[in-house]
Amino acid sequence: ALPMQHKLLELIDGRLRDAGDDAFEEKRNVRAALVYGMSGGNPMTLLSVLNRPTLSDEDRKLGKGVLAYLHGSTELAQTTLADVDPTAMTPEIGAFLALVKGSVSASGDEATALGYFDSARLLGPGTLVEEAALRRSLAIEASLDKTDRFFLASAQYVRRFLRSPYASQFADSFVTGVLTLHKTLNYPAIDEITAMMDADQRKVIYLRLARRAAIEGLTELSAFAAKRAEDGVPDDRPDARSALYSSLSTLTSENIDQVVAQLRNIDRQQLAESDIRLLEAAEAVVNGVTA
C-alpha cells in the first residue's frame, strides 16, 4: 500500500504544479490542494498554489495555517487556525483540519486536542484520518489518566486498523501508554487487546513492554509481559529476549543464584546490540550482589 500511496502523491503533486491559475478559481481544487498538503504532500507545492492570484482570503488563510503545521511552527498554526471550525466544513477537508488542530493543540491543551481528534474520527470514519486520530489520542488519554478510554481506543484501533502501514507507531504508543498508566491498569485489559492480534504481533507487544518496564524498574509489569511473550514458544526454543527481560524483573529477588544461571544461559547471538548492553548491565548487578 505504501509504494502505491507514494506514487499517487507524486501524480497529484505533478497535476497541482502544472495546473493553470484558472483551475484554482474553482474552490474544490483549492481544497484538494489543502487536503494534499495535510496528507503528507510537498509543502512547496502547496505554497505554489497559495501564491495563485485567484485564491480567496479564507482559503489563503487556511493554507498558511496548514503550511505552518507542515513546517513544525505549532504556535503559528494554532494562531492562524484559531477561529476555524472543522465541523462547519465539508467532511473531506474538515476531518483533516480537525486532525491538524488536534495535533497542534496536544502540547498545550490536551483536553482540547482530544476533542479535535474525536471530531476528526467522526468526520473521516474508516480513513487514515481516523486511524491517525485514534493513534495520537492514546498518549493524551494516558497522560490524563483516562485508563478506560485508553483501552477503548486501543481496542478500536486493533479491531479496525491493525493492518495499517502505521501500526508499528500504534504499538509504540500502546506500550508507552501502558507504562504511563501502570499504577491504575489491570493486566487482563492488556490481554484483551493483544488477544485480537496474531501470535507474532502479540509477541512484539509483550517483548517491547517487558523491555521498557524492566528498564524503568517496573518489575511486576516486566515479569508479566515477559511471561506472556513466552506463551506458545516451545521449551526447546526459548526466546533470548524473553529470558533476558524475565531475568531483569527478578534481579532484586532472593534467588540471585538462579538469576545468575539464567543470565549465563542466554544466547547472546539472538540479541540486538542494545539488549547485549542490557545483559551486561544485569551481569554487573548480579556480580556486585554475589561479591
Side-chain angles (χ1 to χ4, degrees):
L2 278 176
M4 180 60 74
Q5 184 190 56
H6 293 320
K7 185 63 178 177
L8 287 171
L9 285 172
E10 183 181 317
L11 292 170
I12 294 168
D13 186 80
R15 291 286 296 275
L16 288 171
R17 282 179 177 271
D18 294 340
D21 290 343
D22 58 331
F24 296 103
E25 292 176 1
E26 204 168 336
K27 203 173 190 68
R28 63 175 184 167
N29 289 335
V30 180
R31 296 298 167 90
L34 292 173
V35 168
Y36 160 79
M38 291 184 283
S39 301
N42 185 347
M44 295 307 296
T45 300
L46 180 57
L47 179 60
S48 71
V49 172
L50 296 181
N51 288 333
R52 305 297 179 108
T54 52
L55 260 66
S56 67
D57 291 341
E58 179 191 11
D59 287 336
R60 207 178 300 278
K61 181 180 178 181
L62 284 176
K64 287 180 179 178
V66 172
L67 269 180
Y69 164 71
L70 294 175
H71 288 306
S73 302
T74 303
E75 290 185 8
L76 178 59
Q78 275 185 295
T79 304
T80 307
L81 300 174
D83 58 352
V84 174
D85 180 6
T87 60
M89 306 183 121
T90 55
E92 53 267 25
I93 189 169
F96 281 95
L97 284 169
L99 183 65
V100 167
K101 292 197 69 167
S103 299
V104 298
S105 302
S107 59
D109 188 344
E110 292 179 321
T112 298
L114 209 52
Y116 281 126
F117 287 145
D118 284 345
S119 294
R121 291 169 55 199
L122 288 169
L123 293 168
T127 67
L128 282 180
V129 173
E130 184 187 14
E131 185 269 350
L134 264 177
R135 184 163 35 83
R136 295 177 191 181
S137 67
L138 293 180
I140 296 176
E141 288 157 350
S143 175
L144 295 176
D145 204 24
K146 294 180 177 289
T147 307
D148 291 343
R149 179 167 172 148
F150 171 82
F151 281 107
L152 175 61
S154 298
Q156 289 172 324
Y157 188 96
V158 171
R159 278 199 301 269
R160 304 176 60 203
F161 296 108
L162 201 56
R163 293 186 182 275
S164 163
Y166 308 106
S168 62
Q169 295 177 32
F170 160 77
D172 291 334
S173 298
F174 179 72
V175 169
T176 300
V178 168
L179 291 169
T180 302
L181 294 167
H182 74 275
K183 292 181 180 179
T184 57
L185 61 82
N186 58 79
Y187 294 163
I190 303 174
D191 289 334
E192 288 177 14
I193 301 298
T194 59
M196 294 183 280
M197 304 177 182
D198 63 34
D200 289 338
Q201 293 167 329
R202 192 159 49 244
K203 185 173 182 178
V204 166
I205 290 290
Y206 282 124
L207 284 174
R208 290 188 186 186
L209 186 56
R211 187 180 197 279
R212 292 276 305 277
I215 291 172
E216 296 192 20
L218 305 176
T219 55
E220 185 180 345
L221 180 57
S222 179
F224 160 79
K227 184 178 184 307
R228 286 290 191 271
E230 293 171 349
D231 288 348
V233 177
D235 293 337
D236 60 338
R237 287 191 295 137
D239 188 293
R241 294 168 298 175
S242 299
L244 171 60
Y245 307 148
S246 178
S247 299
L248 291 176
S249 68
T250 56
L251 273 181
T252 57
S253 70
E254 295 178 2
N255 303 320
I256 194 69
D257 293 334
Q258 183 179 346
V259 177
V260 171
Q262 288 174 345
L263 292 175
R264 286 176 179 168
N265 288 331
I266 292 174
D267 184 359
R268 288 177 176 239
Q269 293 184 339
Q270 293 185 29
L271 298 176
E273 183 63 34
S274 58
D275 280 338
I276 290 175
R277 291 199 298 271
L278 263 184
L279 174 57
E280 290 172 346
E283 289 172 335
V285 171
V286 296
N287 288 338
V289 172
T290 53

Coordinates of all heavy atoms in Angstrom, one line a residue, residues 161-231:
F161 N -7.7 -1.2 12.4 CA -6.5 -0.6 11.7 C -5.2 -1.4 11.9 O -4.1 -0.8 11.6 CB -6.3 0.9 12.1 CG -7.5 1.8 11.7 CD1 -8.3 2.3 12.7 CD2 -7.7 2.1 10.4 CE1 -9.4 3.1 12.4 CE2 -8.8 2.9 10.0 CZ -9.6 3.4 11.0
L162 N -5.3 -2.6 12.4 CA -4.1 -3.3 12.7 C -3.2 -3.6 11.5 O -2.0 -3.8 11.6 CB -4.4 -4.6 13.4 CG -3.3 -5.3 14.2 CD1 -2.8 -4.3 15.3 CD2 -3.7 -6.5 14.9
R163 N -3.8 -3.6 10.3 CA -3.1 -3.8 9.0 C -2.6 -2.5 8.4 O -2.1 -2.5 7.3 CB -3.9 -4.6 8.0 CG -4.2 -6.0 8.5 CD -4.9 -6.8 7.4 NE -5.2 -8.1 7.9 CZ -4.3 -9.2 7.8 NH1 -3.1 -9.0 7.3 NH2 -4.7 -10.4 8.2
S164 N -2.8 -1.4 9.1 CA -2.3 -0.1 8.6 C -0.8 -0.1 8.6 O -0.1 -0.7 9.4 CB -2.8 1.0 9.6 OG -2.0 2.2 9.4
P165 N -0.2 0.6 7.5 CA 1.3 0.7 7.5 C 1.8 1.5 8.6 O 3.1 1.5 8.8 CB 1.5 1.4 6.1 CG 0.2 2.1 5.8 CD -0.9 1.2 6.4
Y166 N 1.0 2.1 9.4 CA 1.4 2.9 10.6 C 1.2 2.2 11.9 O 1.3 2.8 13.0 CB 0.8 4.3 10.6 CG 0.9 5.0 9.3 CD1 -0.2 5.1 8.4 CD2 2.1 5.5 8.9 CE1 -0.1 5.8 7.2 CE2 2.2 6.2 7.7 CZ 1.1 6.3 6.8 OH 1.2 6.9 5.6
A167 N 0.9 0.9 11.8 CA 0.5 0.1 13.0 C 1.7 0.0 14.0 O 1.5 -0.1 15.2 CB 0.0 -1.2 12.7
S168 N 2.9 0.1 13.5 CA 4.1 0.0 14.4 C 4.1 1.2 15.3 O 4.6 1.1 16.5 CB 5.4 -0.1 13.6 OG 5.6 1.0 12.8
Q169 N 3.6 2.4 14.8 CA 3.6 3.5 15.7 C 2.5 3.4 16.8 O 2.7 3.8 17.9 CB 3.2 4.8 14.9 CG 4.3 5.1 13.9 CD 4.0 6.3 13.0 OE1 3.3 7.2 13.4 NE2 4.5 6.3 11.8
F170 N 1.4 2.6 16.4 CA 0.4 2.3 17.4 C 1.0 1.5 18.5 O 0.8 1.7 19.7 CB -0.8 1.6 16.8 CG -1.6 0.8 17.9 CD1 -2.5 1.5 18.7 CD2 -1.4 -0.6 18.0 CE1 -3.2 0.8 19.7 CE2 -2.1 -1.3 19.0 CZ -3.0 -0.6 19.8
A171 N 1.8 0.5 18.1 CA 2.5 -0.4 19.1 C 3.3 0.4 20.1 O 3.3 0.2 21.3 CB 3.3 -1.4 18.4
D172 N 4.1 1.4 19.6 CA 4.9 2.2 20.5 C 4.0 3.0 21.4 O 4.3 3.1 22.6 CB 5.7 3.2 19.6 CG 6.8 2.5 18.9 OD1 7.3 1.4 19.3 OD2 7.3 3.0 17.8
S173 N 2.9 3.6 20.9 CA 2.0 4.4 21.7 C 1.3 3.6 22.8 O 1.1 4.0 23.9 CB 1.0 5.1 20.8 OG 1.6 6.0 19.9
F174 N 0.9 2.4 22.4 CA 0.3 1.5 23.3 C 1.2 1.1 24.5 O 0.8 1.2 25.6 CB -0.2 0.2 22.6 CG -0.9 -0.7 23.5 CD1 -2.2 -0.5 24.0 CD2 -0.3 -1.9 23.8 CE1 -2.9 -1.4 24.8 CE2 -1.0 -2.8 24.7 CZ -2.2 -2.6 25.2
V175 N 2.4 0.7 24.1 CA 3.3 0.3 25.2 C 3.7 1.5 26.1 O 3.7 1.3 27.3 CB 4.6 -0.2 24.5 CG1 5.7 -0.4 25.6 CG2 4.4 -1.6 23.9
T176 N 3.9 2.7 25.5 CA 4.2 3.9 26.3 C 3.0 4.2 27.2 O 3.2 4.5 28.4 CB 4.5 5.0 25.4 OG1 5.6 4.7 24.6 CG2 4.8 6.3 26.2
G177 N 1.8 4.1 26.7 CA 0.6 4.4 27.5 C 0.4 3.4 28.6 O 0.1 3.8 29.8
V178 N 0.7 2.1 28.4 CA 0.6 1.1 29.5 C 1.5 1.4 30.6 O 1.2 1.4 31.8 CB 0.8 -0.3 28.9 CG1 1.0 -1.3 30.1 CG2 -0.3 -0.7 28.0
L179 N 2.8 1.8 30.2 CA 3.8 2.2 31.2 C 3.3 3.4 32.0 O 3.5 3.5 33.2 CB 5.1 2.5 30.6 CG 5.8 1.2 30.0 CD1 7.0 1.7 29.1 CD2 6.3 0.3 31.1
T180 N 2.7 4.4 31.3 CA 2.3 5.6 32.0 C 1.1 5.3 33.0 O 1.1 5.9 34.1 CB 1.8 6.6 31.0 OG1 2.8 6.9 30.0 CG2 1.3 7.9 31.6
L181 N 0.3 4.3 32.6 CA -0.9 4.0 33.4 C -0.6 2.8 34.4 O -1.6 2.3 34.9 CB -2.1 3.7 32.5 CG -2.6 4.8 31.6 CD1 -3.5 4.3 30.6 CD2 -3.3 5.8 32.5
H182 N 0.6 2.4 34.6 CA 0.9 1.2 35.3 C 0.3 1.1 36.7 O 0.0 0.0 37.2 CB 2.4 0.9 35.3 CG 3.1 1.8 36.3 ND1 3.6 3.1 35.9 CD2 3.5 1.6 37.6 CE1 4.2 3.6 37.0 NE2 4.2 2.8 38.0
K183 N 0.1 2.3 37.3 CA -0.4 2.3 38.7 C -1.9 2.0 38.7 O -2.4 1.5 39.8 CB -0.2 3.6 39.4 CG 1.3 3.9 39.6 CD 1.5 5.2 40.3 CE 3.0 5.5 40.6 NZ 3.2 6.8 41.3
T184 N -2.6 2.2 37.6 CA -4.1 2.1 37.7 C -4.6 1.0 36.8 O -5.8 0.7 36.8 CB -4.8 3.4 37.3 OG1 -4.3 3.8 36.0 CG2 -4.4 4.5 38.3
L185 N -3.8 0.4 35.9 CA -4.3 -0.5 34.9 C -4.4 -1.9 35.5 O -3.8 -2.2 36.5 CB -3.5 -0.6 33.7 CG -2.0 -1.0 33.8 CD1 -1.8 -2.5 33.8 CD2 -1.2 -0.4 32.6
N186 N -5.3 -2.8 34.9 CA -5.3 -4.2 35.3 C -4.8 -5.0 34.1 O -5.1 -4.7 33.0 CB -6.7 -4.6 35.7 CG -7.7 -4.4 34.6 OD1 -7.8 -5.1 33.7 ND2 -8.5 -3.3 34.7
Y187 N -4.0 -6.0 34.4 CA -3.4 -6.8 33.4 C -4.3 -7.5 32.4 O -4.0 -7.6 31.2 CB -2.4 -7.8 34.0 CG -1.2 -7.1 34.7 CD1 -0.4 -7.8 35.6 CD2 -0.9 -5.7 34.5 CE1 0.6 -7.2 36.3 CE2 0.1 -5.1 35.2 CZ 0.9 -5.8 36.0 OH 1.9 -5.2 36.7
P188 N -5.5 -8.0 32.9 CA -6.4 -8.6 31.9 C -6.8 -7.6 30.8 O -7.1 -8.1 29.7 CB -7.6 -8.9 32.8 CG -7.0 -9.2 34.1 CD -5.9 -8.2 34.3
A189 N -6.8 -6.3 31.0 CA -7.1 -5.3 30.0 C -6.1 -5.4 28.8 O -6.4 -5.2 27.7 CB -7.2 -3.9 30.6
I190 N -4.8 -5.6 29.2 CA -3.8 -5.7 28.2 C -4.0 -7.0 27.4 O -3.9 -7.0 26.1 CB -2.4 -5.8 28.9 CG1 -2.2 -4.5 29.7 CG2 -1.3 -5.9 27.8 CD1 -0.9 -4.5 30.5
D191 N -4.3 -8.1 28.1 CA -4.6 -9.3 27.4 C -5.8 -9.2 26.4 O -5.7 -9.9 25.4 CB -4.9 -10.4 28.4 CG -3.6 -10.8 29.2 OD1 -2.5 -10.6 28.6 OD2 -3.7 -11.3 30.3
E192 N -6.8 -8.5 26.8 CA -7.9 -8.3 25.9 C -7.6 -7.7 24.6 O -8.1 -8.0 23.5 CB -9.0 -7.5 26.6 CG -9.7 -8.3 27.7 CD -10.8 -7.4 28.4 OE1 -11.1 -6.3 27.9 OE2 -11.2 -7.8 29.5
I193 N -6.7 -6.7 24.7 CA -6.2 -6.0 23.4 C -5.4 -6.9 22.6 O -5.6 -7.1 21.4 CB -5.4 -4.7 23.8 CG1 -6.2 -3.8 24.6 CG2 -4.9 -4.1 22.5 CD1 -7.4 -3.2 23.9
T194 N -4.4 -7.6 23.2 CA -3.5 -8.4 22.4 C -4.2 -9.7 21.9 O -3.7 -10.3 21.0 CB -2.3 -8.9 23.3 OG1 -2.7 -9.6 24.5 CG2 -1.5 -7.6 23.7
A195 N -5.3 -10.1 22.5 CA -6.0 -11.3 22.1 C -6.5 -11.1 20.7 O -6.8 -12.1 20.0 CB -7.1 -11.6 23.0
M196 N -6.7 -9.9 20.2 CA -7.2 -9.6 18.9 C -6.1 -9.6 17.8 O -6.3 -9.3 16.7 CB -8.0 -8.3 18.9 CG -9.2 -8.3 19.7 SD -10.2 -6.7 19.6 CE -9.2 -5.7 20.8
M197 N -4.8 -9.8 18.3 CA -3.7 -9.8 17.4 C -3.3 -11.2 17.0 O -3.7 -12.2 17.7 CB -2.5 -9.1 18.0 CG -2.8 -7.6 18.5 SD -1.4 -6.9 19.3 CE -2.0 -5.3 19.8
D198 N -2.5 -11.4 16.0 CA -1.9 -12.7 15.7 C -0.7 -12.9 16.6 O -0.3 -12.0 17.4 CB -1.6 -12.9 14.2 CG -0.5 -11.9 13.8 OD1 0.5 -11.6 14.6 OD2 -0.5 -11.5 12.6
A199 N -0.2 -14.1 16.6 CA 0.8 -14.5 17.6 C 2.1 -13.7 17.5 O 2.6 -13.3 18.5 CB 1.2 -16.0 17.4
D200 N 2.5 -13.3 16.3 CA 3.7 -12.5 16.1 C 3.5 -11.1 16.6 O 4.4 -10.6 17.3 CB 4.1 -12.5 14.6 CG 4.7 -13.8 14.2 OD1 5.1 -14.6 15.0 OD2 4.6 -14.1 12.9
Q201 N 2.4 -10.5 16.3 CA 2.1 -9.2 16.8 C 2.0 -9.1 18.3 O 2.5 -8.2 18.9 CB 0.8 -8.7 16.1 CG 0.8 -8.5 14.6 CD -0.5 -8.3 14.0 OE1 -1.5 -8.8 14.5 NE2 -0.6 -7.5 12.9
R202 N 1.3 -10.1 18.8 CA 1.2 -10.2 20.3 C 2.6 -10.3 21.0 O 2.8 -9.6 22.0 CB 0.3 -11.4 20.6 CG -0.1 -11.5 22.0 CD -1.3 -12.4 22.2 NE -1.2 -13.7 21.5 CZ -1.9 -14.1 20.5 NH1 -2.8 -13.4 20.0 NH2 -1.7 -15.3 20.0
K203 N 3.4 -11.1 20.4 CA 4.8 -11.3 21.0 C 5.6 -10.0 20.9 O 6.3 -9.6 21.9 CB 5.5 -12.4 20.2 CG 6.9 -12.7 20.9 CD 7.5 -13.9 20.2 CE 8.8 -14.2 20.9 NZ 9.5 -15.4 20.3
V204 N 5.5 -9.2 19.8 CA 6.2 -8.0 19.7 C 5.7 -7.0 20.8 O 6.6 -6.3 21.4 CB 5.9 -7.3 18.3 CG1 6.3 -5.9 18.3 CG2 6.7 -8.1 17.2
I205 N 4.4 -6.9 21.0 CA 3.9 -6.0 22.0 C 4.5 -6.4 23.4 O 5.0 -5.5 24.2 CB 2.4 -6.0 22.1 CG1 1.8 -5.4 20.8 CG2 1.8 -5.3 23.3 CD1 1.9 -3.9 20.7
Y206 N 4.4 -7.6 23.8 CA 4.8 -8.1 25.1 C 6.3 -7.9 25.3 O 6.8 -7.6 26.4 CB 4.4 -9.5 25.4 CG 2.9 -9.6 25.8 CD1 2.0 -10.4 25.0 CD2 2.4 -8.9 26.8 CE1 0.7 -10.5 25.4 CE2 1.1 -8.9 27.2 CZ 0.2 -9.8 26.5 OH -1.1 -9.9 26.8
L207 N 7.1 -8.2 24.2 CA 8.5 -8.0 24.3 C 8.9 -6.5 24.5 O 9.8 -6.2 25.4 CB 9.2 -8.5 23.1 CG 9.4 -10.1 23.0 CD1 9.9 -10.5 21.6 CD2 10.2 -10.6 24.1
R208 N 8.3 -5.7 23.8 CA 8.5 -4.2 23.9 C 8.1 -3.8 25.3 O 8.9 -3.0 26.0 CB 7.7 -3.4 22.9 CG 8.2 -3.5 21.5 CD 7.5 -2.5 20.6 NE 7.9 -2.7 19.2 CZ 7.5 -1.9 18.2 NH1 6.7 -0.9 18.5 NH2 7.8 -2.2 16.9
L209 N 7.0 -4.3 25.8 CA 6.5 -3.9 27.1 C 7.4 -4.4 28.2 O 7.8 -3.7 29.2 CB 5.1 -4.4 27.3 CG 4.4 -4.0 28.6 CD1 4.3 -2.5 28.7 CD2 3.0 -4.6 28.6
A210 N 7.9 -5.6 28.1 CA 8.8 -6.2 29.1 C 10.1 -5.5 29.1 O 10.6 -5.2 30.2 CB 9.0 -7.7 28.7
R211 N 10.6 -5.1 28.0 CA 11.9 -4.4 28.0 C 11.8 -3.0 28.6 O 12.6 -2.7 29.5 CB 12.4 -4.3 26.5 CG 13.8 -3.7 26.4 CD 14.2 -3.6 24.9 NE 15.6 -3.4 24.8 CZ 16.3 -2.2 24.9 NH1 15.6 -1.1 25.2 NH2 17.6 -2.2 24.8
R212 N 10.8 -2.3 28.2 CA 10.6 -0.9 28.7 C 10.3 -0.9 30.2 O 10.9 -0.1 31.0 CB 9.5 -0.2 28.0 CG 9.7 0.1 26.5 CD 10.5 1.4 26.4 NE 9.8 2.5 27.0 CZ 8.8 3.2 26.5 NH1 8.4 2.9 25.3 NH2 8.3 4.2 27.2
A213 N 9.5 -1.9 30.6 CA 9.1 -2.0 32.1 C 10.4 -2.4 32.9 O 10.6 -1.9 34.0 CB 8.0 -3.0 32.3
A214 N 11.2 -3.3 32.4 CA 12.4 -3.7 33.1 C 13.4 -2.5 33.3 O 13.9 -2.3 34.3 CB 13.1 -4.8 32.3
I215 N 13.5 -1.7 32.2 CA 14.4 -0.6 32.3 C 14.0 0.4 33.3 O 14.7 1.1 34.0 CB 14.6 0.0 30.9 CG1 15.4 -0.9 29.9 CG2 15.3 1.4 30.9 CD1 15.4 -0.5 28.5
E216 N 12.6 0.6 33.4 CA 12.1 1.6 34.3 C 11.8 1.1 35.7 O 11.3 1.8 36.5 CB 10.8 2.2 33.7 CG 11.0 2.9 32.4 CD 9.8 3.7 31.9 OE1 8.9 4.0 32.8 OE2 9.7 4.0 30.7
G217 N 12.2 -0.2 35.9 CA 12.1 -0.7 37.2 C 10.8 -1.2 37.6 O 10.5 -1.4 38.8
L218 N 9.9 -1.4 36.7 CA 8.5 -1.9 37.0 C 8.6 -3.4 36.9 O 8.1 -4.0 35.9 CB 7.5 -1.3 36.0 CG 7.5 0.2 35.8 CD1 6.6 0.7 34.7 CD2 7.1 0.8 37.2
T219 N 9.1 -4.0 38.0 CA 9.4 -5.4 37.9 C 8.2 -6.3 37.7 O 8.2 -7.3 37.0 CB 10.1 -5.9 39.2 OG1 9.3 -5.5 40.4 CG2 11.5 -5.1 39.3
E220 N 7.1 -6.0 38.4 CA 5.9 -6.8 38.2 C 5.3 -6.8 36.8 O 5.0 -7.9 36.2 CB 4.8 -6.3 39.2 CG 3.5 -7.2 39.2 CD 2.5 -6.7 40.2 OE1 2.8 -5.9 41.0 OE2 1.3 -7.2 40.1
L221 N 5.3 -5.6 36.2 CA 4.8 -5.5 34.8 C 5.8 -6.2 33.9 O 5.3 -6.8 32.9 CB 4.7 -4.0 34.5 CG 4.2 -3.7 33.1 CD1 2.8 -4.3 32.8 CD2 4.1 -2.2 32.9
S222 N 7.1 -6.0 34.1 CA 8.1 -6.7 33.2 C 7.9 -8.2 33.3 O 8.0 -8.9 32.3 CB 9.5 -6.2 33.7 OG 10.4 -6.9 32.9
A223 N 7.8 -8.7 34.5 CA 7.6 -10.2 34.6 C 6.4 -10.7 33.9 O 6.4 -11.7 33.3 CB 7.6 -10.5 36.1
F224 N 5.3 -9.9 34.1 CA 4.0 -10.3 33.4 C 4.2 -10.3 31.9 O 3.8 -11.3 31.2 CB 2.9 -9.3 33.8 CG 1.8 -9.3 32.9 CD1 0.8 -10.2 32.9 CD2 1.7 -8.3 31.9 CE1 -0.3 -10.2 32.1 CE2 0.6 -8.2 31.0 CZ -0.4 -9.2 31.1
A225 N 4.8 -9.3 31.4 CA 4.9 -9.2 29.9 C 5.9 -10.2 29.4 O 5.7 -10.8 28.3 CB 5.4 -7.8 29.5
A226 N 7.0 -10.5 30.1 CA 8.0 -11.5 29.7 C 7.4 -12.9 29.6 O 7.6 -13.6 28.7 CB 9.2 -11.4 30.6
K227 N 6.5 -13.2 30.6 CA 5.9 -14.5 30.7 C 4.9 -14.6 29.5 O 4.8 -15.6 28.8 CB 5.1 -14.6 32.0 CG 4.5 -16.0 32.2 CD 3.8 -16.2 33.5 CE 3.3 -17.6 33.7 NZ 2.4 -18.0 32.6
R228 N 4.2 -13.5 29.2 CA 3.2 -13.6 28.1 C 3.9 -13.7 26.8 O 3.5 -14.4 25.9 CB 2.4 -12.3 28.1 CG 1.3 -12.2 29.2 CD 0.2 -13.2 28.9 NE -0.9 -13.0 29.8 CZ -1.0 -13.6 31.0 NH1 -0.1 -14.4 31.5 NH2 -2.1 -13.3 31.7
A229 N 5.1 -13.1 26.7 CA 5.9 -13.2 25.4 C 6.4 -14.6 25.2 O 6.6 -15.1 24.0 CB 7.1 -12.3 25.5
E230 N 6.5 -15.4 26.2 CA 7.0 -16.8 26.1 C 5.8 -17.8 25.8 O 6.1 -18.9 25.5 CB 7.7 -17.2 27.4 CG 9.0 -16.5 27.7 CD 9.6 -16.7 29.0 OE1 8.9 -17.3 29.9 OE2 10.7 -16.4 29.3
D231 N 4.6 -17.3 26.0 CA 3.5 -18.2 25.8 C 3.5 -18.7 24.4 O 3.6 -18.0 23.4 CB 2.1 -17.5 26.1 CG 1.9 -17.3 27.6 OD1 2.7 -17.8 28.4 OD2 1.0 -16.5 27.9

